[in-house]
Amino acid sequence: MPTTPPRPFALLAELTYRCPLKCPYCSNPLQLARYKKELDAETWQRVLTEAAALGVVQVHFSGGEPLVRRDLATLVATARQLELYSNLSTGATLADGPRLDELKSAGLDSLQISLLDINARSNDWLAGTPSFEKKRLAVELARERDFPITLNVVLHRHNLDHLETIITLATDWKVDKLELAHVQYTGWAFRNRAALLPHRSQVEHAAKVVATAREELGGQLEILHVLPDYFQEFPKACMQGWGRVFLTVAPDGAVLPCQTAREITGLEFPNVQNESLNEIWFSDPVFQRFRGTDWLPEPCQSCDRREIDFGGCRCQAFLVTGDAAATDPVCKLSPRHELIETAMAQAGHEPTPLEYRVFGTAPETTSGGR
């Protein structure tokens, strides 16, 4: 491992875990009620300033739903003053005209709007609340204000067969980019894994659909397709490697190597209320723990892919094997790969209710269809 780590490129600013939607694959922590206390605007402005000084060039305002923060435009304006490229990741149910005007004036560079499925019935079932029409209107309003728009659709068993229609809808809505990201099974998605895991035939068909659409649409629509780890021979480098490119600041000020790192019990995360981002990035034990390759176990340590995937996803390794330092079990070379194969073999044989994301303590479930 190099003595001096690379400087971070992007900051994920999770402003809040509050959200009108209840998506069953949300990456937010399961115990959301523990993190209700949020950083104030002044602290976030300091964080943005420290991030820019550290080398960050992009800030992604996210949540939860960042539009519930009335001071969002203030933070966007700070990012603009610091010459940070700013993107807003939103469910868009609160994105009316005046709010978008405010963000445009503050200097917001782009919008990423989530969509769960192709129509109100299925989208609203997955969201746990009516939202499809609000999302459609938000895209229209954002387009009128010349925002670059990415439509983000998380793919899983319940919407993967609708991919052709999703692509058609994206072209009809005239978005600039369509991001098709298969579920990463952490957070609420891991709890709902049996209900969300698709069949291999669905994944293979989806890859063909995307390839055909790219050829037919040409430059009309940029399509980003992030394939699912569970169906690959080797894992991806999670966040391009632990503590290498990205850092996340959570609503309560915790600083994380990735937004789901709280999955890993036994780690004590630093907080911007106590330390600077510079101190945390370069010196905190959490960021050193899985940075680089020296810590890797076998067979990763002897593998010629160790500088490509850095052992894969630490949260995934912990959730599946109970050991965050294990080889990511999605890797075909992992000694625990059978755990993934078993999960895939068992998924979909019996109807499994979805457990919705909630900001309280009691989970909500549904076994209904669309």
Side-chain angles (χ1 to χ4, degrees), residues 13 15 41 48 60-62 65-79 87-90 99 102-103 106 108 111:
L15 302 181
L48 293 171
H60 305 276
F61 293 110
S62 183
E65 174 50 72
L67 284 170
V68 305
R69 294 274 305 221
R70 299 310 305 176
D71 54 8
L72 176 58
T74 298
L75 303 183
V76 169
T78 299
N87 176 71
L88 176 64
S89 179
T90 174
R99 199 73 195 281
E102 181 185 35
L103 293 171
L108 183 68
L111 281 170

Side-chain angles (χ1 to χ4, degrees), residues 20-164:
L21 306 182
K22 303 175 183 179
C23 306
Y25 50 75
C26 182
S27 63
N28 287 170
L30 297 180
Q31 303 300 326
L32 288 167
R34 295 180 182 177
Y35 311 111
K36 287 185 176 181
K37 190 173 182 180
E38 300 171 3
L39 298 179
D40 59 23
E42 183 178 356
T43 304
W44 272 115
Q45 288 176 306
R46 175 174 61 80
V47 168
L48 293 171
T49 302
E50 291 179 358
L54 189 56
V56 166
V57 297
Q58 295 182 1
V59 56
H60 305 276
F61 293 110
S62 183
E65 174 50 72
L67 284 170
V68 305
R69 294 274 305 221
R70 299 310 305 176
D71 54 8
L72 176 58
T74 298
L75 303 183
V76 169
T78 299
R80 168 59 63 195
Q81 292 163 8
L82 294 166
E83 298 184 346
L84 296 172
Y85 183 93
S86 61
N87 176 71
L88 176 64
S89 179
T90 174
T93 58
L94 306 177
D96 59 15
R99 199 73 195 281
L100 291 175
D101 287 336
E102 181 185 35
L103 293 171
K104 186 74 173 181
S105 297
L108 183 68
D109 289 296
S110 64
L111 281 170
Q112 177 177 291
I113 295 175
S114 67
L115 182 71
L116 287 79
D117 211 343
I118 56 174
N119 55 42
R121 183 184 179 190
S122 54
N123 178 94
D124 298 352
W125 171 68
L126 287 164
T129 188
S131 57
F132 181 85
E133 286 302 321
K134 294 176 182 177
K135 291 172 181 289
R136 183 198 61 76
L137 178 59
V139 170
E140 181 179 319
L141 293 172
R143 199 173 64 242
E144 290 173 357
R145 287 154 178 80
D146 295 323
F147 275 114
I149 305 169
T150 296
L151 191 66
N152 173 266
V153 184
V154 176
L155 299 175
H156 45 80
R157 182 194 310 166
H158 300 287
N159 64 6
L160 200 50
D161 294 336
H162 307 160
L163 194 49
E164 291 97 332

Side-chain angles (χ1 to χ4, degrees), residues 96-337:
D96 59 15
R99 199 73 195 281
L100 291 175
D101 287 336
E102 181 185 35
L103 293 171
K104 186 74 173 181
S105 297
L108 183 68
D109 289 296
S110 64
L111 281 170
Q112 177 177 291
I113 295 175
S114 67
L115 182 71
L116 287 79
D117 211 343
I118 56 174
N119 55 42
R121 183 184 179 190
S122 54
N123 178 94
D124 298 352
W125 171 68
L126 287 164
T129 188
S131 57
F132 181 85
E133 286 302 321
K134 294 176 182 177
K135 291 172 181 289
R136 183 198 61 76
L137 178 59
V139 170
E140 181 179 319
L141 293 172
R143 199 173 64 242
E144 290 173 357
R145 287 154 178 80
D146 295 323
F147 275 114
I149 305 169
T150 296
L151 191 66
N152 173 266
V153 184
V154 176
L155 299 175
H156 45 80
R157 182 194 310 166
H158 300 287
N159 64 6
L160 200 50
D161 294 336
H162 307 160
L163 194 49
E164 291 97 332
T165 307
I166 288 171
I167 294 171
T168 299
L169 186 148
T171 58
D172 290 344
W173 286 8
K174 297 182 174 60
V175 300
D176 301 281
K177 182 188 294 185
L178 175 61
E179 183 176 279
L180 302 168
H182 289 257
V183 166
Q184 183 75 3
Y185 292 97
T186 57
W188 291 86
F190 187 74
R191 178 168 286 190
N192 283 299
R193 185 175 66 170
L196 294 172
L197 262 172
H199 299 289
R200 182 173 293 277
S201 59
Q202 289 181 291
V203 175
E204 292 172 348
H205 179 68
K208 294 176 182 177
V209 169
V210 171
T212 299
R214 283 172 173 161
E215 183 177 349
E216 293 178 349
L217 293 172
Q220 182 181 348
L221 175 67
E222 180 182 353
I223 302 177
L224 175 64
H225 186 205
V226 182
L227 292 170
D229 281 4
Y230 274 49
F231 295 86
Q232 303 301 301
E233 291 187 342
F234 302 106
K236 294 184 283 292
C238 183
M239 307 302 291
Q240 297 186 30
W242 182 280
R244 289 177 54 83
V245 176
F246 296 96
L247 75 160
T248 296
V249 177
D252 61 344
V255 186
L256 316 171
C258 77
Q259 66 265 37
T260 60
R262 290 197 215 247
E263 302 273 17
I264 304 172
T265 58
L267 296 182
E268 185 175 345
F269 296 100
N271 197 292
V272 294
Q273 298 180 85
N274 306 317
E275 301 175 76
S276 71
L277 281 186
N278 189 80
E279 292 171 324
I280 291 168
W281 180 261
F282 287 111
S283 303
D284 191 87
V286 161
F287 279 80
Q288 302 291 345
R289 178 64 183 89
F290 301 113
R291 182 178 267 156
T293 58
D294 288 350
W295 65 273
L296 286 172
E298 292 293 355
C300 302
Q301 191 59 244
S302 303
C303 182
D304 58 8
R305 291 182 54 84
R306 65 182 178 277
E307 296 284 351
I308 299 174
D309 59 37
F310 301 98
C313 177
R314 296 302 88 218
C315 300
Q316 195 159 254
F318 177 77
L319 288 169
V320 176
T321 73
D323 180 7
T327 300
D328 189 332
V330 305
C331 180
K332 69 176 185 179
L333 303 176
S334 167
R336 308 301 303 278
H337 183 63

